[in-house]
Amino acid sequence: MRNRTVLTGITTTGTPHLGNYVGAIKPAIQASHNADVQSYYFLADYHSLVKNQDPGQMRESTLEIAATWLALGLDTDTAVFYRQSDIPEIPELTWILTCSTAKGLMNRAHAYKAAVQENLDAGVDPDFGINMGLFCYPVLMSADILMFNANDVPVGRDQVQHLEMARDIAQRFNHHYGELFVLPEAVVDDHVSVLPGQDGRKMSKSYNNTIPLWLPEKRLRKAIMKIVTNSLEPGEPKDPDNSALFKLFSAFATSEQREEMKQAYRDGIAWGAAKQQVFELINSELSVPRERYEALIEEPGKIEQELQRGAEKARDFATPFLARIRDAVGIRAIG
Ligand code: TRP
């Protein structure tokens, strides 16, 4: 038996970029090799539906993200890799939890509050453009987590409140119906560097400064060449601690390579030469998985098969557990 269950979800919106890779995908795949841990990694397509109502984009993004995890070597024999919407137990549990979740708790969710505030600032109706999916998002996320009795949930800082809500919801349920749920914990890794984007701010879709993970070689080089630097000339010493380019390099480098690059900065390496080294380092890590990715994308049937296999394994746990939960709330045969 594995000691702990680690679970995390990836919203199926957009194309994976270098920041997603360094901050989430790579550490998750590494963690899944730990023999003490049972990992559940899933594509959160119901969460994506809150914002993304273009069916074509939904399919595209689901395909790209699934292919990414497989190309990067996620071992689907040990990790359970599935698509949220293939597990009907999750929306069923969502409703059950919704009925024991205080509306006041949801009123306090950062994402919902920010959307209301934006409306107030714009002088429009506070509910403008807000759907119930956004409001109930933390309950669906709680169901994702509680459905598998997850202990540890690796997430970004912005998701910590959602984990606190999942604990609240689980506690309230356990108190009323008996101890069914494990109280999950957020795992926020502050050592994982937040990758800067091309403009030096945090790499994020909302800043439009991302470098897509699977750019072909030439375009990857071009994207790296566009990273902002300053006007110091070749030969002038440069400061690695204030350089987005150096941060990007560091996220892929060994400590030895990092020291060498620091020295090169002090010795006045030209920006163009430094960028070329950053490109070569990143490209050497990605070139083999990139070939696998390109092959996988051409075979969506194969990816679908993997997801179906994952769904079966996930339901091996979810189906009997949901039966117990239904029984606990009194939804059961009457005769
Ligand atoms: N809300 C998470 C995010 O935006 C994605 C997510 C959905 C998730 N369900 C989850 C993360 C369950 C961890 C556990 O990043």
Side-chain angles (χ1 to χ4, degrees), residues 214-251:
W214 301 120
L215 285 180
E217 203 166 292
K218 274 192 185 144
R219 288 179 53 203
L220 176 63
R221 185 169 179 282
K222 245 189 177 166
I224 290 170
M225 290 296 162
K226 275 196 198 143
I227 293 171
V228 288
T229 50
N230 56 28
S231 56
L232 289 172
E233 297 286 337
E236 290 186 89
K238 300 173 174 69
D239 178 10
D241 297 327
N242 278 311
S243 162
L245 189 65
F246 182 77
K247 262 196 210 131
L248 190 59
F249 182 84
S250 298

mmCIF file of all heavy atoms in Angstrom, residues 214-251:
data_model
loop_
_atom_site.group_PDB
_atom_site.id
_atom_site.type_symbol
_atom_site.label_atom_id
_atom_site.label_comp_id
_atom_site.label_asym_id
_atom_site.label_seq_id
_atom_site.Cartn_x
_atom_site.Cartn_y
_atom_site.Cartn_z
ATOM 1 N N TRP A 214 6.095 23.854 -26.645
ATOM 2 C CA TRP A 214 6.428 22.990 -27.787
ATOM 3 C C TRP A 214 6.690 23.760 -29.076
ATOM 4 O O TRP A 214 6.451 23.257 -30.159
ATOM 5 C CB TRP A 214 5.320 21.955 -28.003
ATOM 6 C CG TRP A 214 5.082 21.089 -26.825
ATOM 7 C CD1 TRP A 214 3.915 20.972 -26.121
ATOM 8 C CD2 TRP A 214 6.010 20.196 -26.186
ATOM 9 N NE1 TRP A 214 4.062 20.085 -25.084
ATOM 10 C CE2 TRP A 214 5.340 19.582 -25.104
ATOM 11 C CE3 TRP A 214 7.355 19.852 -26.406
ATOM 12 C CZ2 TRP A 214 5.957 18.662 -24.250
ATOM 13 C CZ3 TRP A 214 7.961 18.928 -25.554
ATOM 14 C CH2 TRP A 214 7.259 18.345 -24.498
ATOM 15 N N LEU A 215 7.198 24.974 -28.952
ATOM 16 C CA LEU A 215 7.588 25.693 -30.162
ATOM 17 C C LEU A 215 8.635 24.869 -30.910
ATOM 18 O O LEU A 215 9.532 24.299 -30.273
ATOM 19 C CB LEU A 215 8.214 27.044 -29.801
ATOM 20 C CG LEU A 215 7.293 28.159 -29.337
ATOM 21 C CD1 LEU A 215 8.116 29.400 -29.033
ATOM 22 C CD2 LEU A 215 6.228 28.457 -30.388
ATOM 23 N N PRO A 216 8.548 24.826 -32.251
ATOM 24 C CA PRO A 216 9.630 24.203 -33.004
ATOM 25 C C PRO A 216 10.935 24.959 -32.726
ATOM 26 O O PRO A 216 10.906 26.148 -32.363
ATOM 27 C CB PRO A 216 9.207 24.374 -34.461
ATOM 28 C CG PRO A 216 7.792 24.810 -34.443
ATOM 29 C CD PRO A 216 7.489 25.368 -33.099
ATOM 30 N N GLU A 217 12.031 24.256 -32.888
ATOM 31 C CA GLU A 217 13.348 24.767 -32.512
ATOM 32 C C GLU A 217 13.606 26.219 -32.923
ATOM 33 O O GLU A 217 14.005 27.053 -32.103
ATOM 34 C CB GLU A 217 14.386 23.845 -33.135
ATOM 35 C CG GLU A 217 15.699 23.881 -32.444
ATOM 36 C CD GLU A 217 16.578 22.716 -32.890
ATOM 37 O OE1 GLU A 217 16.246 21.548 -32.560
ATOM 38 O OE2 GLU A 217 17.576 22.962 -33.576
ATOM 39 N N LYS A 218 13.366 26.509 -34.201
ATOM 40 C CA LYS A 218 13.672 27.863 -34.696
ATOM 41 C C LYS A 218 12.860 28.926 -33.992
ATOM 42 O O LYS A 218 13.358 30.009 -33.665
ATOM 43 C CB LYS A 218 13.392 27.949 -36.197
ATOM 44 C CG LYS A 218 14.558 27.510 -37.037
ATOM 45 C CD LYS A 218 14.346 27.895 -38.496
ATOM 46 C CE LYS A 218 15.481 27.340 -39.336
ATOM 47 N NZ LYS A 218 15.023 26.898 -40.664
ATOM 48 N N ARG A 219 11.592 28.612 -33.763
ATOM 49 C CA ARG A 219 10.721 29.606 -33.124
ATOM 50 C C ARG A 219 11.024 29.737 -31.639
ATOM 51 O O ARG A 219 10.859 30.808 -31.043
ATOM 52 C CB ARG A 219 9.259 29.261 -33.383
ATOM 53 C CG ARG A 219 8.887 29.542 -34.855
ATOM 54 C CD ARG A 219 7.464 29.192 -35.178
ATOM 55 N NE ARG A 219 6.514 29.811 -34.273
ATOM 56 C CZ ARG A 219 5.284 29.340 -34.068
ATOM 57 N NH1 ARG A 219 4.879 28.248 -34.683
ATOM 58 N NH2 ARG A 219 4.481 29.961 -33.246
ATOM 59 N N LEU A 220 11.467 28.635 -31.033
ATOM 60 C CA LEU A 220 11.879 28.711 -29.627
ATOM 61 C C LEU A 220 13.076 29.660 -29.507
ATOM 62 O O LEU A 220 13.120 30.531 -28.631
ATOM 63 C CB LEU A 220 12.255 27.313 -29.110
ATOM 64 C CG LEU A 220 12.796 27.272 -27.672
ATOM 65 C CD1 LEU A 220 11.743 27.743 -26.669
ATOM 66 C CD2 LEU A 220 13.271 25.862 -27.299
ATOM 67 N N ARG A 221 14.020 29.533 -30.429
ATOM 68 C CA ARG A 221 15.211 30.390 -30.408
ATOM 69 C C ARG A 221 14.798 31.858 -30.562
ATOM 70 O O ARG A 221 15.234 32.718 -29.793
ATOM 71 C CB ARG A 221 16.168 29.973 -31.522
ATOM 72 C CG ARG A 221 17.475 30.725 -31.490
ATOM 73 C CD ARG A 221 18.520 30.144 -32.424
ATOM 74 N NE ARG A 221 19.727 30.966 -32.339
ATOM 75 C CZ ARG A 221 19.852 32.141 -32.946
ATOM 76 N NH1 ARG A 221 18.879 32.602 -33.702
ATOM 77 N NH2 ARG A 221 20.958 32.846 -32.786
ATOM 78 N N LYS A 222 13.908 32.089 -31.508
ATOM 79 C CA LYS A 222 13.432 33.457 -31.747
ATOM 80 C C LYS A 222 12.763 34.030 -30.505
ATOM 81 O O LYS A 222 12.980 35.192 -30.141
ATOM 82 C CB LYS A 222 12.388 33.424 -32.870
ATOM 83 C CG LYS A 222 12.810 34.154 -34.120
ATOM 84 C CD LYS A 222 11.605 34.219 -35.035
ATOM 85 C CE LYS A 222 11.921 35.002 -36.293
ATOM 86 N NZ LYS A 222 10.879 34.765 -37.301
ATOM 87 N N ALA A 223 11.934 33.206 -29.846
ATOM 88 C CA ALA A 223 11.202 33.676 -28.654
ATOM 89 C C ALA A 223 12.182 34.036 -27.539
ATOM 90 O O ALA A 223 11.970 35.006 -26.802
ATOM 91 C CB ALA A 223 10.215 32.606 -28.190
ATOM 92 N N ILE A 224 13.252 33.257 -27.422
ATOM 93 C CA ILE A 224 14.240 33.536 -26.373
ATOM 94 C C ILE A 224 15.036 34.796 -26.719
ATOM 95 O O ILE A 224 15.346 35.604 -25.845
ATOM 96 C CB ILE A 224 15.140 32.302 -26.149
ATOM 97 C CG1 ILE A 224 14.296 31.198 -25.494
ATOM 98 C CG2 ILE A 224 16.351 32.647 -25.277
ATOM 99 C CD1 ILE A 224 14.951 29.852 -25.412
ATOM 100 N N MET A 225 15.306 34.979 -28.001
ATOM 101 C CA MET A 225 16.036 36.180 -28.421
ATOM 102 C C MET A 225 15.249 37.455 -28.089
ATOM 103 O O MET A 225 15.814 38.537 -27.988
ATOM 104 C CB MET A 225 16.333 36.135 -29.931
ATOM 105 C CG MET A 225 17.370 35.091 -30.304
ATOM 106 S SD MET A 225 18.996 35.442 -29.573
ATOM 107 C CE MET A 225 19.811 33.853 -29.690
ATOM 108 N N LYS A 226 13.925 37.314 -27.946
ATOM 109 C CA LYS A 226 13.085 38.494 -27.694
ATOM 110 C C LYS A 226 12.995 38.888 -26.215
ATOM 111 O O LYS A 226 12.369 39.895 -25.878
ATOM 112 C CB LYS A 226 11.658 38.225 -28.186
ATOM 113 C CG LYS A 226 11.491 38.508 -29.663
ATOM 114 C CD LYS A 226 10.014 38.615 -30.013
ATOM 115 C CE LYS A 226 9.805 38.461 -31.494
ATOM 116 N NZ LYS A 226 8.560 37.717 -31.780
ATOM 117 N N ILE A 227 13.592 38.079 -25.339
ATOM 118 C CA ILE A 227 13.507 38.400 -23.907
ATOM 119 C C ILE A 227 14.186 39.743 -23.637
ATOM 120 O O ILE A 227 15.285 39.996 -24.145
ATOM 121 C CB ILE A 227 14.173 37.270 -23.080
ATOM 122 C CG1 ILE A 227 13.333 35.998 -23.228
ATOM 123 C CG2 ILE A 227 14.309 37.668 -21.610
ATOM 124 C CD1 ILE A 227 13.986 34.771 -22.660
ATOM 125 N N VAL A 228 13.521 40.582 -22.837
ATOM 126 C CA VAL A 228 14.085 41.917 -22.601
ATOM 127 C C VAL A 228 15.358 41.836 -21.758
ATOM 128 O O VAL A 228 15.445 41.095 -20.785
ATOM 129 C CB VAL A 228 13.097 42.864 -21.872
ATOM 130 C CG1 VAL A 228 11.977 43.284 -22.791
ATOM 131 C CG2 VAL A 228 12.579 42.247 -20.589
ATOM 132 N N THR A 229 16.345 42.601 -22.163
ATOM 133 C CA THR A 229 17.576 42.750 -21.376
ATOM 134 C C THR A 229 17.781 44.256 -21.218
ATOM 135 O O THR A 229 16.823 45.011 -21.322
ATOM 136 C CB THR A 229 18.770 42.086 -22.111
ATOM 137 O OG1 THR A 229 18.790 42.563 -23.457
ATOM 138 C CG2 THR A 229 18.641 40.590 -22.112
ATOM 139 N N ASN A 230 19.011 44.698 -20.960
ATOM 140 C CA ASN A 230 19.232 46.143 -20.896
ATOM 141 C C ASN A 230 20.250 46.536 -21.970
ATOM 142 O O ASN A 230 20.615 45.723 -22.815
ATOM 143 C CB ASN A 230 19.663 46.559 -19.489
ATOM 144 C CG ASN A 230 20.897 45.794 -19.043
ATOM 145 O OD1 ASN A 230 21.703 45.373 -19.872
ATOM 146 N ND2 ASN A 230 21.036 45.595 -17.748
ATOM 147 N N SER A 231 20.742 47.755 -21.902
ATOM 148 C CA SER A 231 21.570 48.239 -23.015
ATOM 149 C C SER A 231 23.075 48.077 -22.767
ATOM 150 O O SER A 231 23.886 48.660 -23.468
ATOM 151 C CB SER A 231 21.238 49.706 -23.267
ATOM 152 O OG SER A 231 21.431 50.415 -22.054
ATOM 153 N N LEU A 232 23.426 47.231 -21.757
ATOM 154 C CA LEU A 232 24.865 47.033 -21.509
ATOM 155 C C LEU A 232 25.528 46.355 -22.711
ATOM 156 O O LEU A 232 24.985 45.408 -23.279
ATOM 157 C CB LEU A 232 25.076 46.192 -20.246
ATOM 158 C CG LEU A 232 24.738 46.910 -18.925
ATOM 159 C CD1 LEU A 232 24.791 45.922 -17.759
ATOM 160 C CD2 LEU A 232 25.697 48.079 -18.693
ATOM 161 N N GLU A 233 26.686 46.843 -23.061
ATOM 162 C CA GLU A 233 27.403 46.345 -24.243
ATOM 163 C C GLU A 233 28.196 45.080 -23.899
ATOM 164 O O GLU A 233 28.508 44.840 -22.731
ATOM 165 C CB GLU A 233 28.397 47.420 -24.717
ATOM 166 C CG GLU A 233 27.776 48.728 -25.170
ATOM 167 C CD GLU A 233 27.093 48.609 -26.521
ATOM 168 O OE1 GLU A 233 27.454 47.689 -27.292
ATOM 169 O OE2 GLU A 233 26.205 49.435 -26.799
ATOM 170 N N PRO A 234 28.587 44.309 -24.925
ATOM 171 C CA PRO A 234 29.497 43.180 -24.698
ATOM 172 C C PRO A 234 30.756 43.681 -24.001
ATOM 173 O O PRO A 234 31.244 44.762 -24.321
ATOM 174 C CB PRO A 234 29.825 42.693 -26.111
ATOM 175 C CG PRO A 234 28.700 43.165 -26.974
ATOM 176 C CD PRO A 234 28.176 44.421 -26.337
ATOM 177 N N GLY A 235 31.219 42.922 -23.020
ATOM 178 C CA GLY A 235 32.413 43.339 -22.279
ATOM 179 C C GLY A 235 32.076 44.063 -20.986
ATOM 180 O O GLY A 235 32.874 44.065 -20.061
ATOM 181 N N GLU A 236 30.894 44.666 -20.912
ATOM 182 C CA GLU A 236 30.496 45.316 -19.654
ATOM 183 C C GLU A 236 29.931 44.254 -18.708
ATOM 184 O O GLU A 236 29.102 43.440 -19.130
ATOM 185 C CB GLU A 236 29.432 46.389 -19.924
ATOM 186 C CG GLU A 236 29.969 47.612 -20.665
ATOM 187 C CD GLU A 236 28.915 48.701 -20.774
ATOM 188 O OE1 GLU A 236 28.845 49.531 -19.853
ATOM 189 O OE2 GLU A 236 28.158 48.703 -21.763
ATOM 190 N N PRO A 237 30.343 44.270 -17.443
ATOM 191 C CA PRO A 237 29.826 43.285 -16.482
ATOM 192 C C PRO A 237 28.308 43.424 -16.322
ATOM 193 O O PRO A 237 27.783 44.540 -16.354
ATOM 194 C CB PRO A 237 30.541 43.638 -15.178
ATOM 195 C CG PRO A 237 31.605 44.601 -15.528
ATOM 196 C CD PRO A 237 31.310 45.193 -16.854
ATOM 197 N N LYS A 238 27.630 42.296 -16.143
ATOM 198 C CA LYS A 238 26.180 42.296 -16.018
ATOM 199 C C LYS A 238 25.764 41.612 -14.711
ATOM 200 O O LYS A 238 26.507 40.780 -14.189
ATOM 201 C CB LYS A 238 25.570 41.591 -17.227
ATOM 202 C CG LYS A 238 25.960 42.311 -18.514
ATOM 203 C CD LYS A 238 25.535 41.596 -19.777
ATOM 204 C CE LYS A 238 25.850 42.465 -20.981
ATOM 205 N NZ LYS A 238 27.325 42.595 -21.218
ATOM 206 N N ASP A 239 24.595 41.984 -14.212
ATOM 207 C CA ASP A 239 24.144 41.497 -12.908
ATOM 208 C C ASP A 239 23.155 40.337 -13.063
ATOM 209 O O ASP A 239 22.022 40.547 -13.473
ATOM 210 C CB ASP A 239 23.486 42.662 -12.154
ATOM 211 C CG ASP A 239 22.942 42.229 -10.798
ATOM 212 O OD1 ASP A 239 23.246 41.088 -10.370
ATOM 213 O OD2 ASP A 239 22.212 43.024 -10.186
ATOM 214 N N PRO A 240 23.588 39.111 -12.711
ATOM 215 C CA PRO A 240 22.678 37.965 -12.877
ATOM 216 C C PRO A 240 21.431 38.074 -11.997
ATOM 217 O O PRO A 240 20.370 37.574 -12.372
ATOM 218 C CB PRO A 240 23.533 36.763 -12.484
ATOM 219 C CG PRO A 240 24.717 37.307 -11.766
ATOM 220 C CD PRO A 240 24.914 38.712 -12.222
ATOM 221 N N ASP A 241 21.567 38.743 -10.831
ATOM 222 C CA ASP A 241 20.439 38.780 -9.897
ATOM 223 C C ASP A 241 19.290 39.649 -10.373
ATOM 224 O O ASP A 241 18.181 39.558 -9.849
ATOM 225 C CB ASP A 241 20.911 39.239 -8.515
ATOM 226 C CG ASP A 241 21.915 38.257 -7.937
ATOM 227 O OD1 ASP A 241 21.766 37.042 -8.231
ATOM 228 O OD2 ASP A 241 22.842 38.684 -7.227
ATOM 229 N N ASN A 242 19.565 40.492 -11.349
ATOM 230 C CA ASN A 242 18.474 41.321 -11.871
ATOM 231 C C ASN A 242 18.196 41.024 -13.335
ATOM 232 O O ASN A 242 17.870 41.913 -14.105
ATOM 233 C CB ASN A 242 18.831 42.804 -11.725
ATOM 234 C CG ASN A 242 18.534 43.274 -10.323
ATOM 235 O OD1 ASN A 242 17.446 43.029 -9.810
ATOM 236 N ND2 ASN A 242 19.510 43.908 -9.697
ATOM 237 N N SER A 243 18.320 39.753 -13.692
ATOM 238 C CA SER A 243 18.192 39.406 -15.096
ATOM 239 C C SER A 243 17.155 38.305 -15.291
ATOM 240 O O SER A 243 17.291 37.199 -14.773
ATOM 241 C CB SER A 243 19.560 38.949 -15.613
ATOM 242 O OG SER A 243 19.419 38.224 -16.804
ATOM 243 N N ALA A 244 16.097 38.618 -16.030
ATOM 244 C CA ALA A 244 15.074 37.616 -16.347
ATOM 245 C C ALA A 244 15.700 36.461 -17.108
ATOM 246 O O ALA A 244 15.372 35.293 -16.888
ATOM 247 C CB ALA A 244 13.949 38.255 -17.161
ATOM 248 N N LEU A 245 16.632 36.807 -17.982
ATOM 249 C CA LEU A 245 17.288 35.775 -18.787
ATOM 250 C C LEU A 245 18.030 34.783 -17.893
ATOM 251 O O LEU A 245 17.970 33.569 -18.109
ATOM 252 C CB LEU A 245 18.271 36.457 -19.757
ATOM 253 C CG LEU A 245 18.874 35.551 -20.823
ATOM 254 C CD1 LEU A 245 17.812 35.047 -21.786
ATOM 255 C CD2 LEU A 245 19.982 36.285 -21.583
ATOM 256 N N PHE A 246 18.696 35.296 -16.876
ATOM 257 C CA PHE A 246 19.435 34.425 -15.962
ATOM 258 C C PHE A 246 18.463 33.534 -15.171
ATOM 259 O O PHE A 246 18.731 32.351 -14.945
ATOM 260 C CB PHE A 246 20.315 35.241 -15.003
ATOM 261 C CG PHE A 246 21.121 34.360 -14.089
ATOM 262 C CD1 PHE A 246 22.252 33.713 -14.558
ATOM 263 C CD2 PHE A 246 20.730 34.148 -12.775
ATOM 264 C CE1 PHE A 246 22.993 32.862 -13.734
ATOM 265 C CE2 PHE A 246 21.454 33.311 -11.942
ATOM 266 C CZ PHE A 246 22.594 32.667 -12.425
ATOM 267 N N LYS A 247 17.344 34.093 -14.771
ATOM 268 C CA LYS A 247 16.343 33.295 -14.036
ATOM 269 C C LYS A 247 15.858 32.134 -14.887
ATOM 270 O O LYS A 247 15.698 31.010 -14.419
ATOM 271 C CB LYS A 247 15.147 34.176 -13.656
ATOM 272 C CG LYS A 247 15.224 34.667 -12.238
ATOM 273 C CD LYS A 247 13.864 35.181 -11.771
ATOM 274 C CE LYS A 247 14.079 36.279 -10.753
ATOM 275 N NZ LYS A 247 13.296 37.475 -11.009
ATOM 276 N N LEU A 248 15.596 32.449 -16.142
ATOM 277 C CA LEU A 248 15.119 31.417 -17.062
ATOM 278 C C LEU A 248 16.179 30.328 -17.201
ATOM 279 O O LEU A 248 15.883 29.130 -17.141
ATOM 280 C CB LEU A 248 14.819 32.075 -18.409
ATOM 281 C CG LEU A 248 14.096 31.224 -19.444
ATOM 282 C CD1 LEU A 248 12.757 30.754 -18.907
ATOM 283 C CD2 LEU A 248 13.891 32.027 -20.725
ATOM 284 N N PHE A 249 17.418 30.750 -17.374
ATOM 285 C CA PHE A 249 18.534 29.813 -17.488
ATOM 286 C C PHE A 249 18.599 28.931 -16.244
ATOM 287 O O PHE A 249 18.696 27.708 -16.329
ATOM 288 C CB PHE A 249 19.839 30.591 -17.664
ATOM 289 C CG PHE A 249 21.055 29.723 -17.843
ATOM 290 C CD1 PHE A 249 21.387 29.215 -19.087
ATOM 291 C CD2 PHE A 249 21.885 29.419 -16.761
ATOM 292 C CE1 PHE A 249 22.515 28.415 -19.261
ATOM 293 C CE2 PHE A 249 23.009 28.609 -16.919
ATOM 294 C CZ PHE A 249 23.324 28.112 -18.170
ATOM 295 N N SER A 250 18.498 29.561 -15.076
ATOM 296 C CA SER A 250 18.629 28.846 -13.806
ATOM 297 C C SER A 250 17.605 27.738 -13.644
ATOM 298 O O SER A 250 17.892 26.709 -13.032
ATOM 299 C CB SER A 250 18.472 29.808 -12.633
ATOM 300 O OG SER A 250 19.487 30.758 -12.672
ATOM 301 N N ALA A 251 16.416 27.970 -14.159
ATOM 302 C CA ALA A 251 15.346 26.989 -13.981
ATOM 303 C C ALA A 251 15.662 25.678 -14.698
ATOM 304 O O ALA A 251 15.099 24.639 -14.378
ATOM 305 C CB ALA A 251 14.023 27.560 -14.473
#
